[in-house]
Amino acid sequence: MTTMSPNALCFGDEFPAAGAPCLVQVEEHGLTITFASDPADGQPESVPYSSLAVSAGGLDHDQLVVKWAGEKGERTLYLKNPDVIRAFRETVPSHLSLPFAQAAEQVRQVRHRRRLVWSLAGGMILSTVLGLWFGSDILVEIAVSRIPVEWEQKLGESAYRDFLSHQEVMKEGPAVAALGEMTQRMTAQILDNPYKFEVTVVKSDVVNAFALPGGYVVVFTGLMKKAESGEEVAGVLSHELNHVLQRHGLERIVKSLGIMTVAAIVFGNQQGLVGMMKQLGVELFTLKFGREQETEADLKGLQLLQRAKIDPAGMITFFERLSEKDEGRMEWLSTHPMNAARADRLKAELAALPKKSPEPFTFDWKQVQVSLGSQPVVAP
Amino acid sequence: MKSEILYPGAFPMVRVELEAGENIKAESGAMVACSPTIDIESKMEGGFLGALSRKFLTGEKFFFQTLRATRGPGEALLAPTVPGEIVILELDGVNDYMVQKDGFLAGAEGIVIENKMQGLSRGLLGGEGFFILNISGKGMLVLNSFGAIHKIELKPNQEYIVDNSHLVAWSSTTSYNIEKATSGWVASFTSGEGFVCRFRGPGLVFIQSRNPGSFGAWIRQFIPVSE
Ligand SMILES: [Zn+2]
C-alpha cells in the first residue's frame, strides 16, 4: 500500500478510542474506506449508501457523522474535510438527502455562528488594546453608560427568577412588610430612579444579601436574625441598592466579557438565549465587586440612609459586629471583607454629613425577629 | 525527528532530536538545553493579533519559540514549568485536539496551533477561559499536565464527567456540556466553584490528576497577607 493521507476518523469496537485514520472516497454506489493501518492484504471496505445514516456531531456539531452497521459491529465515521463533504453532497441518493441537508444546515449554522463570534472576539481584542491605551476603566464606564436599563433588567431578571424558583420565598408577614417599608423609604429619595426595585425575603439561615443588575435584591432571613435593629438591615440594603444604582454588576460583566458579548447575550438567538442567561445567572451570583465599588456602595449607601432619615449608625454597628464575629455562616463577609478601615471610613463620612434627626420605622424589630422564629437578640 | 521522555513521573523532560533543517515549536521558556547547532527564534504564531489575543484571552505567553537545527543535526531538552507528566501524541492530519491553555509544551513543524473561541457559556463556566488552543496538522504534539496525566477513552455516545479544572486536552470528535456539580444554587454562588464537563464520545479526553487552582489556594494559606 502506498502512503495515503487520511481524511476521516473511523470509530468502532475493534478500533482504538482515538479513532482509526482512514481515507474515504465517495463513489457512485457508496463510500469506500481504506484504513491507514491495514495490513498489505487489507481490502478497502465498501459501504452502500442504502445502509448509511448521517447526522452532525463533534465538539461544535461541525463534523459530518456517518453511521452504519458493519460486519464487525457499528461503525461511525467523522468527516470534516470540506472536499469529501462536497463530493458526498453531490452524489448522495434521495433517501439520505433530507437528513444530509439537515446535518449540513447544522454544520453551516455553526460555521456562521463562529464567524459572528469571531467578529465579536475581534471587538473584544480591539477594546482590550484600546483599553491598554486609554485606561480600561474609562472604556468600561463609557460602554456601561450606553447599555440601556432594559438590557440590565433582562440579564438580572432571568437569573433572579431562576434563583427564586429553587428557594423558599417568604411572601408575607412582618419581615416582608419591614423590608418593604425600608425599600420604600429609601427609593423615595432616589432622584430619576430608572429601576423598579424588587426585594425578596428568602428563608435561609445564610447570613447574606445580594443585588443583581436591574434592581433585583434578595435578603436572607439569616441576615435579618443576626441584625439587632431594622436600621442595621437597612444599612446592608442601602449598600446593595447602591451596587445596582451605580451599575457595579454591569461594570464587572462588561469588564470580563466585553460590551459586544453583552450585546450578543441580549440580542442573541432566542433558543440559545434562555440557557445562556441561566448560565450567566450563575456568573452573576459569583460576581465579586472590586474594592472601589464596595467603597462607593458604602458611601453612597450611607448618604441614601441619611436622606431617607434612617439612622446610619445602624449600618456602621452592623459592619463592625460582622467583622468581629466569625462564627456561623456569614456569607455576606465572603463577598464583603470587613475591616476596621471600612467602618472608620464610614464614621468619618458620617461625621462630615450634616446632622439629621432620624425617624424610626413603624415596625417593632423585635417582633419582626420573633416572626422569623428567632429569640430576640438582647442588645449589649 | 525523534523524541523521548526522560525521567518519567513528576519531573520529566523531553529530548527531541532534530535532523538538519528541522524545527520544533515550543512554549516559550520550555527550552532547558540544546546542541550548539540549534537556533532559537521567538516567533509570534498566528501573527501579532493572534499572539496578542492569546496573551490577553488565554493568559498564554506571548511567544512560542521555534527551535531550528540550522547548522546541522542536534538535540534539545524541553521541560514544563509545573511538576507533572508529559505525554507525546502523534497527529496524522485528521485527529485534532483542543488543548487547555497550559497544556501545550511543544509541537513538530507540521503542527498547526490556532486559538479557538469557545461558546460563551463554555468559556464562562468551563474555567479555561474563552480561548483554548485547537491543535491540528501532522506530527508530534507534546502535552504536559499538573500532576499525572490520565487518558480516558470514550466509545461513540459513551459519557464521562470531568471536573473542568482537571482538563488537559480532548479530541474534537467529542462533545461536552457544562453542568453544575452541586445541586444547590447557594453552594455554587457562595463557593463560586463546582462546574463539571459532561463529555460524550467518541474520542480521547486527557485529564490531570491535580487541580492547579486548588493547589494555588492551598499554597496561598501559607503566605502572610498584608492588608
Ligand atoms: Zn457590596
Side-chain angles (χ1 to χ4, degrees):
Chain A
M1 199 175 69
T2 52
T3 42
M4 51 160 259
S5 45
N7 57 14
L9 283 174
C10 189
F11 296 88
D13 283 339
E14 75 275 36
F15 297 126
C22 58
L23 178 68
V24 173
Q25 282 160 305
V26 179
E27 320 217 337
E28 217 177 307
H29 60 280
L31 299 180
T32 300
I33 299 129
T34 317
F35 288 96
S37 57
D38 261 357
D41 59 341
Q43 287 297 310
E45 191 172 336
S46 282
V47 190
Y49 286 119
S50 55
S51 53
L52 299 181
V54 296
S55 59
L59 202 58
D60 292 310
H61 286 275
D62 62 349
Q63 304 191 38
L64 186 65
V65 180
V66 180
K67 276 190 186 171
W68 72 96
E71 283 165 24
K72 296 169 200 156
E74 177 154 280
R75 293 256 169 118
T76 312
L77 211 53
Y78 274 71
L79 289 164
K80 62 181 159 191
N81 183 316
D83 295 333
V84 183
I85 294 177
R86 195 178 314 113
F88 191 78
R89 183 180 59 217
E90 281 160 7
T91 41
V92 74
S94 56
H95 86 276
L96 273 181
S97 56
L98 182 65
F100 177 77
Q102 286 167 344
E105 173 64 14
Q106 221 174 338
V107 172
R108 207 184 54 77
Q109 276 182 3
V110 167
R111 297 229 163 103
H112 179 77
R113 209 176 311 146
R114 195 172 299 156
R115 267 201 298 279
L116 181 76
V117 164
W118 266 113
S119 52
L120 291 176
M124 281 168 71
I125 293 165
L126 196 66
S127 52
T128 313
V129 174
L130 287 175
L132 283 179
W133 260 288
F134 299 112
S136 56
D137 286 352
I138 296 170
L139 212 72
V140 167
E141 268 170 44
I142 293 170
V144 165
S145 70
R146 281 161 193 258
I147 296 179
V149 168
E150 296 83 71
W151 287 26
E152 221 182 329
Q153 286 168 335
K154 265 190 170 183
L155 285 171
E157 196 187 355
S158 76
Y160 182 66
R161 301 278 167 242
D162 199 71
F163 174 77
L164 291 182
S165 70
H166 295 83
Q167 301 297 324
E168 196 181 343
V169 171
M170 195 172 262
K171 294 223 169 63
E172 52 194 8
V176 175
L179 268 181
E181 182 179 331
M182 294 174 197
T183 312
Q184 171 61 34
R185 287 256 306 255
M186 284 189 269
T187 51
Q189 299 303 321
I190 304 166
L191 295 173
D192 303 322
N193 176 14
Y195 300 98
K196 209 184 132 297
F197 283 102
E198 226 183 294
V199 180
T200 303
V201 181
V202 164
K203 282 189 207 167
S204 164
D205 286 336
V206 172
V207 182
N208 205 354
F210 62 85
L212 295 174
Y216 305 95
V217 183
V218 169
V219 179
F220 293 93
T221 51
L223 184 122
M224 299 177 81
K225 286 183 193 170
K226 270 279 183 315
E228 285 173 10
S229 68
E231 281 76 9
E232 292 193 350
V233 176
V236 171
L237 186 61
S238 183
H239 172 98
E240 294 297 338
L241 295 183
N242 278 287
H243 274 316
V244 175
L245 290 168
Q246 305 302 323
R247 310 186 95 180
H248 288 158
L250 210 53
E251 280 176 15
R252 297 309 272 194
I253 295 172
V254 169
K255 221 172 198 168
S256 56
L257 302 188
I259 176 81
M260 305 295 273
T261 320
V262 175
I265 295 164
V266 175
F267 294 122
N269 74 27
Q270 292 302 310
Q271 262 187 338
L273 187 64
V274 179
M276 219 186 266
M277 295 278 272
K278 265 193 186 163
Q279 297 196 317
L280 186 73
V282 180
E283 176 76 357
L284 292 180
F285 292 122
T286 58
L287 214 62
K288 271 199 182 140
F289 296 118
R291 188 181 286 232
E292 282 169 30
Q293 292 180 323
E294 288 304 337
T295 306
E296 191 177 20
D298 280 356
L299 297 184
K300 300 265 184 197
L302 193 78
Q303 292 162 5
L304 180 59
L305 290 170
Q306 178 91 345
R307 285 206 302 280
K309 295 188 179 160
I310 299 170
D311 189 357
M315 184 184 200
I316 297 170
T317 55
F318 199 37
F319 281 15
E320 280 179 332
R321 214 140 37 75
L322 284 178
S323 63
E324 285 161 12
K325 290 185 190 174
D326 56 354
E327 91 238 27
R329 305 182 58 200
M330 299 289 216
E331 269 75 7
W332 206 65
L333 289 179
S334 70
T335 48
H336 293 85
M338 287 296 158
N339 52 49
R342 193 163 174 177
D344 287 347
R345 198 181 296 116
L346 283 174
K347 280 182 188 161
E349 177 74 12
L350 182 59
L353 288 173
K355 288 273 173 297
K356 275 195 181 181
S357 47
E359 289 174 14
F361 290 115
T362 61
F363 52 81
D364 177 56
W365 185 248
K366 300 243 152 48
Q367 281 173 13
V368 171
Q369 287 193 314
V370 169
S371 80
L372 294 173
S374 72
Q375 298 298 317
V377 183
V378 181
Chain B
M1 182 180 304
K2 271 198 242 161
S3 59
E4 179 193 5
I5 298 176
L6 308 174
Y7 319 110
F11 302 100
M13 283 202 294
V14 189
R15 178 169 63 209
V16 184
E17 287 175 30
L18 298 174
E19 306 279 339
E22 271 188 333
N23 72 58
I24 185 168
K25 289 186 261 274
E27 185 212 11
S28 68
M31 217 278 294
V32 175
C34 67
S35 312
T37 49
I38 289 176
D39 282 339
I40 304 166
E41 307 157 13
S42 282
K43 187 174 134 203
M44 287 177 282
E45 192 72 27
F48 179 73
L49 270 186
L52 198 66
S53 69
R54 255 200 315 278
K55 163 95 176 137
F56 287 112
L57 299 162
T58 69
E60 188 74 33
K61 303 198 180 76
F62 210 120
F63 299 103
F64 286 120
Q65 290 176 331
T66 302
L67 310 180
R68 191 184 302 275
T70 326
R71 291 180 294 275
E75 65 170 42
L77 300 177
L78 305 173
T81 315
V82 295
E85 257 188 293
I86 290 177
V87 67
I88 299 179
L89 305 178
E90 198 62 38
L91 303 198
D92 49 27
V94 282
N95 48 355
D96 292 12
Y97 287 93
M98 303 299 140
V99 178
Q100 192 256 82
K101 59 180 182 182
D102 295 321
F104 174 82
L105 184 63
E109 193 171 1
I111 294 288
V112 182
I113 304 166
E114 287 167 313
N115 289 304
K116 187 170 162 357
M117 177 119 181
Q118 305 203 78
L120 178 63
S121 53
R122 282 180 183 168
L124 258 184
L125 304 177
E128 309 107 39
F130 284 96
F131 284 79
I132 46 177
L133 303 174
N134 180 2
I135 299 188
S136 58
K138 267 186 187 177
M140 181 189 76
L141 167 64
V142 188
L143 302 178
N144 71 276
S145 64
F146 184 51
I149 204 159
H150 176 70
K151 180 165 83 173
I152 298 168
E153 303 190 336
L154 296 178
K155 296 281 179 201
N157 291 320
Q158 188 186 345
E159 292 191 345
Y160 215 86
I161 295 169
V162 178
D163 182 308
N164 67 63
S165 40
H166 286 264
L167 277 174
V168 177
W170 55 98
S171 13
S172 72
T173 51
T174 61
S175 58
Y176 70 91
N177 292 321
I178 305 279
E179 294 177 0
K180 227 159 13 86
T182 49
S183 52
W185 270 90
V186 175
S188 61
F189 91 79
T190 50
S191 68
E193 283 193 25
F195 291 101
V196 294
C197 301
R198 179 187 289 266
F199 274 90
R200 184 176 302 110
L204 302 180
V205 179
F206 291 91
I207 59 173
Q208 53 196 5
S209 64
R210 291 292 179 276
N211 174 342
S214 307
F215 184 70
W218 182 78
I219 291 280
R220 268 194 297 281
Q221 66 178 324
F222 301 110
I223 301 172
V225 187
S226 56
E227 181 49 54

